[in-house]
Amino acid sequence: MELKVLRLIITVLLCQPNLLWAEWNTKDFQKREHSLIKPYQGSGFGVPNWDFQGSTMVTSNYIRLTPDQRSKQGALWNKIPFRVRNWEVQVNFKVSGTTRDLFGDGFAFWYTKERMEIGPVFGSKDHFSGLAVIADTYSNHNGPHNHQHPYLSAMVNNGSISYDHDRDGTHTMLGGCAVQFRNMNHETWMAIRY
């Protein structure tokens, strides 16, 4: 089985040699209605094309999803349906707090059919239809884990799978990696390509 997978990977790389030399082009086409660029506030209160929920606070320099307090949720959702087949989103974020180890449970980037449905899975509903890229900042797993936290993972769902919060989604994720982004002196950048 391993040999077949290796052969498949080599075949894909040989058939697509441009994958090896691909560069991140920051001047790619940008859709304004789906973009958030500093300064964040539009005319009056709020930001055009975006809805906010919960504890979210918008200033001209940053958007804070939640304050450094217990049991808070916040969300930011685009109002306009996105009908592009291939896309990339670039997110820069900072996770900070007054404690050394506890920073809530995390946050997620959602690309789903449903929008603005508050729920138990990083601020959104369980049994979602779409893609979730999860930045998990706290281990809820009782017992040994195969990875450290913070942990960045992805999950695709057709609405039939429940996110297992007690196991940090380890059985439903496509893959992931440990990333140190808590209390850093700089912002962390993440690119998601679909």
Side-chain angles (χ1 to χ4, degrees), residues 40-173:
Y40 293 118
Q41 292 182 337
S43 58
F45 180 75
V47 177
N49 303 320
W50 295 87
D51 285 323
F52 304 93
Q53 281 181 310
S55 303
T56 303
M57 182 178 85
V58 180
T59 72
S60 60
N61 293 322
Y62 64 89
I63 297 171
R64 185 185 71 197
L65 294 178
T66 61
D68 188 17
Q69 298 172 359
R70 295 175 68 134
S71 302
K72 297 292 181 181
Q73 284 189 341
L76 172 69
W77 289 91
N78 191 258
K79 293 179 182 179
I80 301 170
F82 194 66
R83 304 199 193 286
V84 176
R85 184 178 181 134
N86 300 310
W87 52 264
E88 176 181 280
V89 63
Q90 299 170 12
V91 180
N92 62 323
F93 62 91
K94 194 169 186 178
V95 176
S96 59
T98 55
T99 63
R100 201 183 78 132
D101 295 319
L102 298 176
F103 294 85
D105 207 27
F107 65 95
F109 169 85
W110 296 95
Y111 180 64
T112 62
K113 286 183 181 178
E114 310 86 3
R115 71 182 286 280
M116 294 191 68
E117 293 188 27
I118 293 177
V121 184
F122 297 93
S124 194
K125 70 177 257 174
D126 200 359
H127 297 278
F128 62 92
S129 294
L131 167 71
V133 177
I134 300 166
D136 190 350
T137 59
Y138 182 76
S139 176
N140 295 297
H141 190 76
N142 292 328
H145 234 314
N146 292 335
H147 59 264
Q148 299 294 316
H149 279 78
Y151 194 75
L152 192 64
S153 65
M155 178 179 172
V156 173
N157 198 348
N158 63 5
S160 67
I161 303 168
S162 178
Y163 177 82
D164 188 351
H165 191 267
D166 292 338
R167 293 185 182 176
D168 292 320
T170 54
H171 301 294
T172 54
M173 69 178 169

Side-chain angles (χ1 to χ4, degrees), residues 25-42:
N25 184 0
T26 57
K27 298 187 187 281
D28 281 343
F29 180 70
Q30 186 176 60
K31 306 242 341 140
R32 287 189 181 270
E33 63 271 20
H34 301 292
S35 301
L36 280 170
I37 300 170
K38 291 179 189 177
Y40 293 118
Q41 292 182 337

